[in-house]
Amino acid sequence: MKPKVLAMRRLFPERHSSSSLLGYWTLLAVLLNPGALQAAESWSGRNIPGYRGIWFDLGQRSTHGSKYSGGLGTYTAKHCPLAIHAKAVNRTFFVYGGTPEAGQRRLLAMIGVYDHQTGKVHQPHVVHDKQTVDDPHDNPSLTMDPQGHLWVFVSGRGRQRPGFVYRSRKPYDQTAFEQVMEAEFTYPQPWWLGEAGCLHLFTQYTQGRELYWSHSLTGRDWTPPRKFAGMGGHYQISRSIGDRVLTAFNAHPNGNVDLRTNLYYLETRNLGKSWHTITGHEITPPLTDFSHPARVEDYQKQGRRVYLKDLTVDDEGQPIILHLISDHHQPGPHRRPRSWRVAHWRNGTWAMEDIAPAWHNYDMGSLVVEKGQPWRLIAPTAPGPQKQGTGGEVILWERKAPGSWKPIKAITHHSPRNHAYVRRPLDAHPDFAAFWADGNPDRLSPSRLYFTDREGSGVWQLPETMEGPTAPPLRLY
């Protein structure tokens, strides 16, 4: 499906007025740059006949390649949640950064749905067309209100590109949306907490990448943003558990994101009216002290960078923070190896557990922690075909006791492109436990989307082309 070309009579008015001269200049611009007309046409509100992820390269290169690049449709870790299983209709809705054609660099904020009853996906829907933007920092996040309306928060970037909030016109329906807000936010993390409303955690580029929150009862009228943390900048991840919203974040010394370090944890039980540490100590935002009691680990003293990945809780509701530690912001080997690690609150202290070596700072995976079951990690922890690039081969890890992490299954293997940014749906159905995209981080390539089940028993590729409104995914393994 391609956008319709403007009718010729719009380019050639009957009278030679100033508007007709504009039409002639428009035609000349199109002839000189055919992509200009496509950029002028919007895909918003349309379906795309297939699942095609966005490819991106940040452009910051060093000896071992780009700082990060490849198939980044499910980027970043700071966009969450990306998927939700709606039990009422037994469907998993998910958002991602897509593109009209495979290998094309034009960002579309997409929503797709997998029907667990039929075993098919519907054609993905374009919620918002970013047109000239190819940067997956503008990817969407997803939440759902108690009535089943889907809310898509399309990220902005810095202070130049605004964010947008959309609401589905019907409950549990991904085919039509209305825009309800345009505002300044990056890395959206919206959490709908029943009838109490929605708590939105996000970043604004004020004095660095500072953390803010806002609350709404309806999703339409929001409280003014309140600063949460301002130590020169931060990245955060979050999760809602019942009436709790948990957040873990790092800090950027002197505003330098390449020096990101330390690990902090806070939570709220009343939609941000008050925040407290793991020991129950109520804090007064914004946080400005690097040695604040919210600090989990002093990685700055250790000379380590901190890359946040996922956040969940154990059977007793105690937080587990998945993160990656590194010596340097650049890819490639360093003096000390990178490591996948969890920080777990148990017996009144933060316990650190190393899981596996890490190959790239921007490798990203998800924890699957279910009551009474061993903990699991689904992540690209094995080298992929592009060994120095973002992502790799996806491995299933299991932990039956503290510190006993073991790889139990290679979910992907012999792949043509690296797999990256493995994401866990909220209230995940066991048949759709994680989804991600692939791509070649070394050069522009198609990017396809995949999912696996809780046991890692197979990998299913979402159809890249679809002839009808629905189609089954293709099982690869």
Side-chain angles (χ1 to χ4, degrees):
M1 181 189 301
K2 295 184 178 180
K4 295 180 180 178
V5 177
L6 294 175
M8 294 302 289
R9 62 177 176 273
R10 292 180 57 190
L11 293 179
F12 294 98
E14 294 179 1
R15 296 181 180 179
H16 295 280
S17 62
S18 59
S19 61
S20 71
L21 293 175
L22 177 61
Y24 295 141
W25 285 114
T26 301
L27 177 60
L28 179 60
V30 170
L31 292 174
L32 294 175
N33 179 15
L37 183 57
Q38 185 183 28
E41 289 283 349
S42 176
W43 284 90
S44 297
R46 306 182 186 193
N47 287 352
I48 298 290
Y51 288 81
R52 305 147 192 173
I54 190 75
W55 186 96
F56 180 72
D57 185 343
L58 183 67
Q60 297 181 18
R61 293 191 166 271
S62 56
T63 303
H64 297 282
S66 179
K67 185 176 178 181
Y68 56 86
S69 57
L72 299 180
T74 53
Y75 178 83
T76 71
K78 287 88 68 180
H79 291 66
C80 57
L82 258 62
I84 299 173
H85 176 238
K87 297 179 182 178
V89 292
N90 198 22
R91 292 182 173 186
T92 295
F93 297 93
F94 53 95
V95 293
Y96 64 97
T99 190
E101 301 288 346
Q104 188 176 354
R105 299 185 63 182
R106 172 176 175 168
L107 181 64
L108 306 176
M110 307 292 302
I111 185 167
V113 57
Y114 177 73
D115 189 323
H116 292 271
Q117 184 172 352
T118 66
K120 295 181 179 181
V121 290
H122 292 243
Q123 283 192 3
H125 182 78
V126 182
V127 179
H128 185 92
D129 181 357
K130 283 285 185 169
Q131 298 207 1
T132 59
V133 174
D134 67 352
D135 184 351
H137 285 93
D138 291 35
N139 278 352
S141 298
L142 177 68
T143 190
M144 184 172 67
D145 67 25
Q147 291 72 44
H149 289 279
L150 305 168
W151 292 76
V152 177
F153 285 62
V154 181
S155 180
R157 178 67 166 153
R159 314 209 80 167
Q160 291 75 39
R161 300 197 298 265
F164 301 89
V165 177
Y166 288 84
R167 173 184 180 270
S168 65
R169 295 190 179 275
K170 297 179 181 179
Y172 309 113
D173 182 85
Q174 78 288 354
T175 62
F177 286 81
E178 59 170 326
Q179 181 183 321
V180 300
M181 185 173 73
E182 176 180 329
E184 180 187 345
F185 62 82
T186 306
Y187 307 121
Q189 301 179 23
W191 302 103
W192 209 287
L193 304 176
E195 300 298 336
C198 185
L199 180 66
H200 184 203
L201 309 182
F202 56 96
T203 296
Q204 286 189 349
Y205 288 59
T206 43
Q207 296 177 354
R209 293 165 169 84
E210 296 186 307
L211 304 182
Y212 289 79
W213 86 90
S214 183
H215 168 248
S216 176
L217 285 171
T218 64
R220 297 180 183 275
D221 300 309
W222 293 83
T223 61
R226 290 193 60 189
K227 188 185 292 188
F228 181 69
M231 304 178 196
H234 308 268
Y235 290 128
Q236 76 172 336
I237 53 176
S238 60
R239 181 66 55 175
S240 69
I241 307 291
D243 65 349
R244 303 162 64 196
V245 174
L246 326 175
T247 179
F249 50 100
N250 57 23
H252 306 164
N254 301 315
N256 189 339
V257 300
D258 291 335
L259 298 178
R260 65 190 75 183
T261 190
N262 285 354
L263 182 60
Y264 301 87
Y265 173 86
L266 287 172
E267 66 175 84
T268 180
R269 294 178 180 266
N270 52 19
L271 294 142
K273 293 179 181 177
S274 63
W275 294 88
H276 59 269
T277 66
I278 189 64
T279 59
H281 173 71
E282 186 172 338
I283 65 100
T284 301
L287 277 67
T288 57
D289 183 0
F290 270 63
S291 60
H292 193 277
R295 188 172 63 189
V296 172
E297 184 75 359
D298 187 356
Y299 282 115
Q300 187 177 31
K301 185 177 180 180
Q302 302 171 31
R304 298 293 249 174
R305 311 294 196 270
V306 176
Y307 295 81
L308 299 165
K309 306 304 175 183
D310 197 12
L311 174 60
T312 188
V313 297
D314 64 14
D315 287 3
E316 284 72 46
Q318 302 299 346
I320 311 164
I321 308 169
L322 177 67
H323 57 293
L324 187 153
I325 57 174
S326 173
D327 271 357
H328 204 277
H329 70 278
Q330 292 178 342
H334 299 297
R335 181 173 61 86
R336 293 175 291 182
R338 299 177 182 85
S339 179
W340 290 86
R341 177 177 284 190
V342 292
H344 177 216
W345 181 260
R346 63 174 182 264
N347 300 324
T349 189
W350 287 104
M352 299 293 167
E353 297 182 20
D354 286 320
I355 302 172
W359 302 96
H360 196 282
N361 294 333
Y362 290 86
D363 291 346
M364 195 278 175
S366 290
L367 291 168
V368 178
V369 179
E370 299 171 343
K371 202 168 185 67
Q373 299 294 324
W375 298 3
R376 292 189 168 187
L377 169 67
I378 305 175
T381 61
Q386 294 84 42
K387 297 187 183 302
Q388 300 292 347
T390 310
E393 298 286 11
V394 180
I395 306 297
L396 177 62
W397 291 74
E398 189 173 77
R399 171 196 184 272
K400 294 184 177 179
S404 66
W405 290 95
K406 294 181 179 179
I408 62 172
K409 187 172 294 184
I411 295 178
T412 67
H413 50 85
H414 301 98
S415 303
R417 295 170 297 277
N418 285 4
H419 300 273
Y421 283 86
V422 179
R423 310 307 298 270
R424 168 174 54 98
L426 190 63
D427 300 322
H429 188 287
D431 292 345
F432 198 110
F435 81 112
W436 66 90
D438 75 352
N440 185 332
D442 296 336
R443 61 178 182 271
L444 178 63
S445 74
S447 176
R448 300 182 175 97
L449 289 104
Y450 308 85
F451 69 92
T452 190
D453 58 20
R454 187 191 181 280
E455 304 302 320
S457 67
V459 174
W460 289 264
Q461 179 190 321
L462 301 181
E464 189 175 17
T465 58
M466 299 173 65
E467 296 183 358
T470 64
L474 173 64
R475 181 164 187 167
L476 299 181
Y477 305 103

